[in-house]
């Protein structure tokens, strides 16, 4: 199947015509390589991805299936964001040894801290298998049958395609089901914490500055990959040794200037660049506002407790950051989509698409797409809103309800697959929930539930809610559940699951917390989920056909990129400032002076440690300053999203110059519509990372592991 290359949808700024998009690294040769070189890149596509020789892909593992990381030494030293390693830093923290507040630095290999269940995954090989996956599906007209056959083909191929015994095959869909790609991966399971700055550096600005520019955050942490004696993946063992990478990034301390080439390599999570206008309208006007309101209520409760109690602050630090991250992102996304007039631009694109359909005589295949989208999104609206409320209130932000929901699923598993499956899952729950309850505070969660269940009862479409939700005082019901339900403690949870299936189910159904969640879940499963899935399946088929039409009818010079799906991608651009609004211009680099300008002694978000103040006052920046100033963060036009957190920022020569960690608030709508005039990714300048490791932490041994380079100085010498 021939695929056209990347189209930045609806682009109106010719100066940015060669930027944006998320590219598959194995397909860079040709147009992409030419574009990258026109922007200043000095490498070849083979330097970035080569299946036969070591290349940059071998230094960019997926970090714990959610972030990105990069190998920066021949001893498997791994760099990622502070917020990506936050859960591990928190898990090792206690009130006596608070690594969140004070930081952590292993001065010897034996001091590095193991992390249960933390993994990093390398990509070994990428290959198109579209024809094999779609084999014998063309004649199937029923969408459910077609999807089942595709999944059967994927399962068979995953089991039969060649790999080494320690490797894994994965097949992922691209272009909304029009292309399928096979990945061979290696997952390392012994990853140890090496270093982390205090939160006053790694999380400086916290939630106030999240998604905001100018930014002054040292958002990094260091880990190390360990392997067996053959350099292969192995579970944690004291006999494991530091991993020897196929490739690691040299680290440039020559800095960045506006218009320098930048490349970000990583695992972007999810984008929806090709949604029709009607879908974007629904997100802007209905779905995002509902989710924002729920999370806003939960965050206010949690923040109130965290500011008053240090132990609660430690318990809830990672959870709060996770909830706040997308709460603020959805606010910025909505503002950006409105500001950029994305809905109208998409409507204009659709009008142009239909003109192409008519010109090509393809009305039978594509002529009814947009009208069908209109009908389906109108039909799905109340179900989509109900689904988001259920997920935000029951499954995500009220912990006791989420615990109960998992147990309702356990009961359903017994009813569908019998006692053996029930017992296996039960034992997994008993093990997994011990860690969850470690960071659970019933006093906090009761107040969260009190707020959120009221929102659920009043804001979610009432026709789909259970009658029992309206026949009681919800505040009193919440208090009753937290007073009597065994779901409020790990010991109670274990007691509920003690015994055979019949005994467990009887105890669960006699627990008022479980019964309440079961009432909500049964109403959702009966009234919302089936209809939502039915309409969504129609939209899935329509989206695949729409994407096929875009690929087929776009001109040869069009640049069509697949949406992000947590697979390895390359995005390229330049270091660039931007103008978010009238009479406002932001330059692309921030400095340590900005940290001191924001400094508020004792503040939760803007405190600065005495050691950093001393280094600043003495201008003790080592070799990492530029004209007497220490760079902290910089921005570029790279098209990034969630999952790119921790991605390496790479210069024209393939050296590490920074660490991606965020986007500007005005440009968070890039998951749906990328506007190169205002969409910017935010990166930690690698010089700030090195300064903190060297001068602040005194961990010079880590600097000595790295290969420090001066590509710009070499360039000057040549001249």
């Amino acid at each position: 199947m021939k695929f056209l290359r990347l189209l930045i949808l609806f682009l109106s700024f010719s100066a940015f015509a060669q930027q944006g998009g998320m590219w598959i690294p194995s397909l860079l040769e040709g147009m992409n390589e030419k574009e990258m070189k026109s922007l200043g890149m000095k490498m070849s596509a083979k330097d970035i991805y080569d299946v036969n020789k070591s290349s940059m892909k071998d230094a960019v593992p997926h970090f714990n299936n959610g972030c990105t990381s990069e190998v920066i030494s021949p001893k498997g030293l791994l760099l990622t964001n502070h917020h990506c390693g936050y859960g591990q830093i928190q898990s090792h923290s206690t009130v006596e040894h608070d690594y969140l507040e004070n930081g952590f630095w292993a001065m010897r290999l034996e001091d590095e801290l193991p992390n249960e269940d933390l993994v990093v995954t390398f990509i070994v090989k990428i290959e198109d298998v579209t024809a094999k996956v779609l084999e014998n599906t063309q004649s199937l007209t029923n969408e459910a049958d077609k999807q089942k056959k595709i999944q059967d083909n994927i399962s068979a191929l995953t089991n039969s395609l060649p790999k080494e015994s320690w490797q894994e095959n994965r097949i992922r869909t691209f272009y909304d089901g029009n292309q399928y790609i096979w990945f061979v991966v290696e997952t390392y399971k012994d990853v140890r914490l090496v270093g982390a700055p205090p939160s006053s550096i790694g999380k400086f600005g916290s939630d106030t500055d999240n998604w905001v520019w100018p930014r002054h955050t040292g958002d990094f942490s260091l880990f190390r990959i360990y392997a067996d004696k053959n350099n292969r993946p192995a579970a944690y063992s004291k006999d494991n040794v530091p991993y020897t990478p196929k490739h690691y990034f040299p680290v440039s301390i020559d800095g960045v200037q506006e218009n320098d080439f930048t490349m970000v390599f990583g695992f972007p999570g999810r984008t929806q660049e090709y949604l029709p206008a009607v879908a974007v309208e629904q997100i802007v006007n209905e779905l995002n506002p509902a989710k924002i309101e729920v999370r806003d209520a939960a965050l206010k409760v949690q923040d109130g407790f965290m500011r008053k109690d240090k132990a609660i602050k430690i318990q809830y630090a990672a959870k709060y950051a996770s909830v706040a991250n997308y709460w603020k992102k959805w606010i910025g996304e909505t503002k950006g989509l409105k500001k950029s007039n994305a809905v109208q631009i998409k409507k204009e694109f659709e009008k142009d698409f239909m003109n192409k359909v008519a010109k090509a005589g393809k009305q039978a295949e594509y002529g009814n797409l947009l009208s069908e989208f209109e009908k389906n999104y109108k039909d799905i609206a109340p179900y989509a809103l109900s689904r988001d409320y259920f997920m935000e209130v029951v499954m995500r932000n009220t912990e006791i309800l989420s615990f109960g929901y998992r147990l309702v699923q356990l009961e359903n598993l017994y009813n569908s697959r019998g006692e053996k499956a029930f017992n296996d899952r039960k034992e997994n729950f008993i093990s997994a929930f011990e860690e969850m309850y470690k960071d659970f505070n019933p006093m906090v969660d009761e107040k969260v539930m009190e707020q959120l269940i009221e929102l659920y009862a009043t804001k979610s479409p009432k026709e789909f809610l259970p009658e029992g939700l309206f026949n009681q005082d919800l505040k009193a019901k919440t208090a009753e559940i937290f007073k009597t339900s065994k779901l409020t403690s790990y010991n109670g949870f274990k007691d509920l699951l003690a015994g055979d299936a019949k005994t467990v189910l009887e105890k669960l159904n006699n627990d008022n917390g479980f019964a309440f969640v079961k009432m909500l879940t049964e109403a959702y499963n009966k009234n919302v989920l089936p209809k939502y899935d039915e309409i969504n399946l129609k939209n899935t088929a329509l989206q695949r056909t729409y994407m096929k039409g875009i690929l087929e009818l776009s001109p040869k010079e069009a640049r069509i990129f697949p949406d992000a799906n947590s697979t390895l991608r390359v995005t390229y651009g330049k270091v660039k400032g931007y103008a978010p609004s009238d009479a406002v211009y932001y330059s692309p680099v921030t400095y340590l002076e900005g940290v001191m300008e924001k400094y508020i002694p004792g503040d939760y978000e803007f405190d600065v440690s005495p050691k950093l103040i001393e280094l600043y006052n003495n201008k003790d920046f080592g070799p990492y300053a530029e004209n007497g100033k220490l760079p902290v963060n910089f921005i570029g036009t790279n098209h990034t999203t969630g999952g790119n957190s921790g991605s390496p920022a790479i210069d024209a020569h393939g050296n590490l110059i920074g660490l991606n960690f965020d986007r500007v608030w005005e440009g968070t709508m890039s998951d749906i519509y990328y506007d190169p005039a205002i969409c910017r990714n935010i990166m930690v300048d690698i010089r700030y990372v090195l300064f903190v490791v060297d001068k602040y932490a005194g961990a010079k041994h880590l600097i000595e592991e790295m290969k420090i380079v001066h590509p710009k100085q070499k360039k000057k010498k040549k001249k």
Side-chain angles (χ1 to χ4, degrees):
M1 182 178 223
K2 183 178 180 181
F3 281 90
L4 299 169
R5 306 293 269 170
L6 187 85
L7 168 66
I8 297 178
L9 282 177
F10 332 123
L11 199 56
S12 59
F13 297 88
S14 60
F16 298 97
Q18 293 176 313
Q19 299 173 65
M22 299 173 177
W23 309 86
I24 300 168
S26 58
L27 302 176
L28 291 175
E29 290 186 88
M31 187 195 76
N32 290 111
E33 187 174 26
K34 290 177 183 176
E35 286 185 352
M36 295 165 86
K37 288 186 174 181
S38 74
L39 292 169
M41 185 180 79
K42 306 302 180 185
M43 306 172 283
S44 70
K46 286 281 189 184
D47 293 325
I48 298 167
Y49 176 90
D50 194 317
V51 71
N52 298 313
K53 299 178 181 178
S54 65
S55 56
M56 286 184 202
K57 74 165 172 55
D58 300 312
V60 186
H62 207 179
F63 186 85
N64 214 26
N65 300 310
C67 287
T68 304
S69 54
E70 52 275 354
V71 185
I72 58 171
S73 89
K75 296 180 181 178
L77 190 62
L78 196 68
L79 180 65
T80 191
N81 285 155
H82 185 268
H83 76 259
C84 293
Y86 205 73
Q88 285 70 41
I89 303 164
Q90 179 197 35
S91 70
H92 292 295
S93 294
T94 63
V95 173
E96 294 78 21
H97 300 285
D98 189 347
Y99 298 139
L100 292 175
E101 182 171 337
N102 302 316
F104 169 80
W105 305 96
M107 295 301 174
R108 304 172 302 165
L109 289 177
E110 49 265 42
D111 296 332
E112 296 174 357
L113 301 176
N115 300 280
E116 189 175 359
D117 300 326
L118 174 61
V119 299
V120 296
T121 302
F122 290 91
I123 303 299
V124 178
K125 178 181 179 180
I126 304 174
E127 190 172 305
D128 190 300
V129 289
T130 305
K132 293 177 180 178
V133 170
L134 296 180
E135 200 170 75
N136 299 321
T137 64
Q138 287 79 4
S139 61
L140 299 175
T141 55
N142 180 278
E143 182 62 22
D145 291 342
K146 181 175 287 187
Q147 291 299 323
K148 183 179 183 305
K149 181 59 178 173
I150 287 171
Q151 291 308 313
D152 288 345
N153 289 346
I154 288 174
S155 180
L157 286 167
T158 300
N159 291 327
S160 64
L161 288 168
K163 65 176 182 62
E164 300 293 347
S165 60
W166 62 89
Q167 297 173 339
E168 179 186 350
N169 287 328
R170 296 178 182 176
I171 295 174
R172 298 290 183 263
T173 181
F174 293 75
Y175 295 108
D176 295 311
N178 285 284
Q179 183 182 32
Y180 291 85
I181 291 181
W182 162 40
F183 297 84
V184 180
V185 305
E186 292 178 344
T187 298
Y188 285 78
K189 301 175 182 179
D190 185 355
V191 184
R192 305 181 194 178
L193 178 62
V194 174
S199 292
S200 60
I201 292 175
K203 209 173 183 297
F204 183 79
S206 192
D207 302 300
T208 297
D209 272 7
N210 191 22
W211 305 104
V212 167
W213 186 259
R215 198 69 176 274
H216 301 86
T217 311
D219 194 350
F220 78 93
S221 57
L222 290 162
F223 291 79
R224 192 183 306 279
I225 307 169
Y226 282 76
D228 67 15
K229 62 182 180 180
N230 297 312
N231 207 41
R232 293 175 184 168
Y236 169 78
S237 168
K238 61 181 178 58
D239 297 324
N240 287 347
V241 296
Y243 168 70
T244 302
K246 298 175 185 174
H247 181 79
Y248 64 92
F249 284 105
V251 177
S252 168
I253 59 171
D254 284 353
V256 299
Q257 294 177 319
E258 187 145 20
N259 292 317
D260 277 358
F261 173 84
T262 58
M263 184 180 89
V264 171
F265 210 166
F267 294 82
R270 183 170 181 258
T271 57
Q272 299 173 287
E273 302 287 340
Y274 304 96
L275 281 177
V278 63
V280 178
E281 279 184 304
Q282 193 173 99
I283 289 169
V284 169
N285 298 327
E286 298 176 42
L287 302 183
N288 275 2
K291 293 185 290 188
I292 290 164
E293 186 177 21
V294 171
R295 293 202 177 195
D296 186 54
L299 289 167
K300 284 178 179 175
V301 172
Q302 292 175 359
D303 182 64
F305 280 97
M306 290 170 70
R307 287 181 181 271
K308 294 174 184 176
D309 190 309
K310 184 175 181 180
I312 292 175
K313 179 182 174 183
I314 292 172
Q315 271 188 318
Y316 275 77
K319 288 185 287 192
Y320 183 92
S322 177
V323 173
N325 191 41
Y326 265 71
W327 162 76
K328 194 167 184 179
K329 186 262 186 184
W330 289 324
I331 295 171
E333 177 180 85
T334 301
K335 288 179 178 290
L337 289 169
K338 289 179 178 179
K339 176 182 170 63
S340 62
N341 205 18
V343 170
Q344 185 57 40
I345 292 171
K346 282 181 174 285
K347 286 180 178 178
E348 291 169 4
F349 176 83
E350 290 165 3
K351 181 179 178 181
D352 180 64
F353 173 76
M354 294 310 297
N355 288 336
K356 290 175 182 174
V357 169
K359 187 175 180 180
K362 293 280 186 176
Q363 290 93 335
E365 192 170 356
Y366 304 122
N368 296 323
L369 274 174
L370 298 181
S371 60
E372 290 182 43
F373 271 136
E374 287 282 347
K375 180 182 184 305
N376 285 355
Y377 278 100
K378 180 180 179 182
D379 291 346
I380 206 172
Y383 299 98
L385 185 61
S386 296
R387 177 177 178 267
D388 276 356
Y389 269 114
F390 183 82
M391 294 178 74
E392 287 296 310
V393 173
V394 178
M395 294 173 64
R396 290 177 179 158
N397 295 302
T398 311
E399 288 184 277
I400 196 170
L401 297 184
S402 70
F403 296 164
Y405 175 75
R406 298 279 292 276
L407 294 177
V408 173
Q409 290 181 306
L410 181 65
E411 183 180 49
N412 292 339
L413 182 67
Y414 173 79
N415 294 331
S416 63
R417 294 179 56 189
E419 188 155 0
K420 185 181 185 306
F422 173 92
N423 286 332
D424 289 344
R425 181 73 60 83
K426 183 185 80 169
E427 292 306 314
N428 288 338
F429 276 7
I430 291 171
S431 174
F433 272 73
E434 183 174 11
E435 187 67 21
M436 294 184 197
Y437 273 100
K438 176 189 171 188
D439 295 324
F440 174 72
N441 187 302
M443 181 172 59
V444 178
D445 202 48
E446 179 178 351
K447 295 304 178 184
V448 171
M449 178 175 166
E450 192 178 283
Q451 296 291 315
L452 268 52
I453 202 65
E454 183 67 28
L455 279 175
Y456 191 58
T458 55
K459 296 295 184 73
S460 186
K462 291 182 173 57
E463 63 268 30
F464 304 137
L465 297 176
E467 286 296 323
L469 200 60
F470 305 113
N471 298 330
Q472 54 189 311
D473 180 337
L474 291 176
K475 184 175 181 179
K477 182 63 177 178
T478 299
E480 177 195 341
I481 287 172
F482 276 87
K483 184 177 181 180
T484 61
S485 173
K486 290 192 173 184
L487 292 175
T488 57
S489 72
Y490 181 59
N491 286 335
F493 179 85
K494 284 195 298 181
D495 184 60
L496 284 172
L497 294 183
D500 60 20
K502 182 178 179 182
T503 302
V504 170
L505 293 177
E506 184 177 346
K507 286 192 288 185
L508 286 175
N509 283 282
N510 286 328
D511 184 274
N512 64 346
F514 176 87
F516 186 75
V517 181
K518 185 175 178 179
M519 175 187 72
L520 300 178
T521 303
E522 287 182 340
Y524 172 76
N525 287 342
K526 178 184 176 183
N527 300 332
V528 178
L529 195 57
K531 194 66 177 178
Y532 176 86
D533 285 346
E534 175 192 327
I535 303 170
N536 193 53
L537 191 64
K538 294 179 184 177
N539 278 339
T540 298
L542 280 178
Q543 192 70 40
R544 183 178 63 240
T545 303
Y546 184 42
M547 191 73 247
K548 180 175 179 289
I550 292 172
L551 289 162
E552 181 181 335
L553 299 176
S554 296
K556 289 182 179 181
E557 65 273 15
R559 309 167 70 242
I560 303 175
F561 67 95
D563 274 320
N565 59 358
S566 294
T567 58
L568 189 60
R569 304 292 184 90
V570 168
T571 179
Y572 48 86
K574 290 189 172 187
V575 175
K576 203 81 175 172
Y578 75 113
S581 56
D582 183 46
V584 176
Y585 176 78
Y586 288 139
S587 59
V589 181
T590 61
Y591 298 90
L592 190 58
E593 280 85 347
V595 174
M596 303 312 300
E597 288 169 2
K598 291 179 177 179
Y599 171 39
I600 303 173
D603 185 76
Y604 178 64
E605 299 178 304
F606 294 102
D607 200 5
V608 178
S609 72
K611 178 68 178 290
L612 187 60
I613 294 172
E614 179 186 352
L615 290 166
Y616 172 75
N617 287 336
N618 294 334
K619 298 295 182 280
D620 187 5
F621 302 144
Y624 312 114
E626 179 180 279
N627 299 321
K629 299 172 69 176
L630 182 67
V632 176
N633 296 154
F634 66 96
I635 53 174
T637 60
N638 305 283
H639 188 177
T640 62
T641 187
N644 278 122
S645 290
S647 289
I650 302 163
D651 70 6
H653 304 275
N655 305 308
L656 188 68
I657 53 172
L659 179 65
N660 187 81
F661 72 99
D662 207 352
R663 284 174 285 169
V664 300
W665 205 37
E666 298 86 352
T668 53
M669 85 288 191
S670 62
D671 290 349
I672 295 170
Y673 168 56
Y674 176 81
D675 182 344
I678 60 173
C679 290
R680 296 289 183 273
N681 66 309
I682 306 177
M683 296 158 276
V684 187
D685 193 301
I686 198 64
R687 292 170 292 178
Y688 191 52
V689 173
L690 299 179
F691 161 78
V692 172
V693 173
D694 183 354
K695 306 299 291 186
Y696 181 90
K700 192 174 285 289
H701 63 288
L702 297 176
I703 306 292
E704 291 168 354
E705 272 192 47
M706 306 174 200
K707 181 181 179 182
I708 307 297
V709 297
H710 296 276
K712 290 186 176 180
Q713 290 185 16
K714 288 181 180 178
K715 187 177 178 181
K716 287 178 182 177
K717 287 179 182 178
K718 286 182 180 179
K719 287 182 179 179

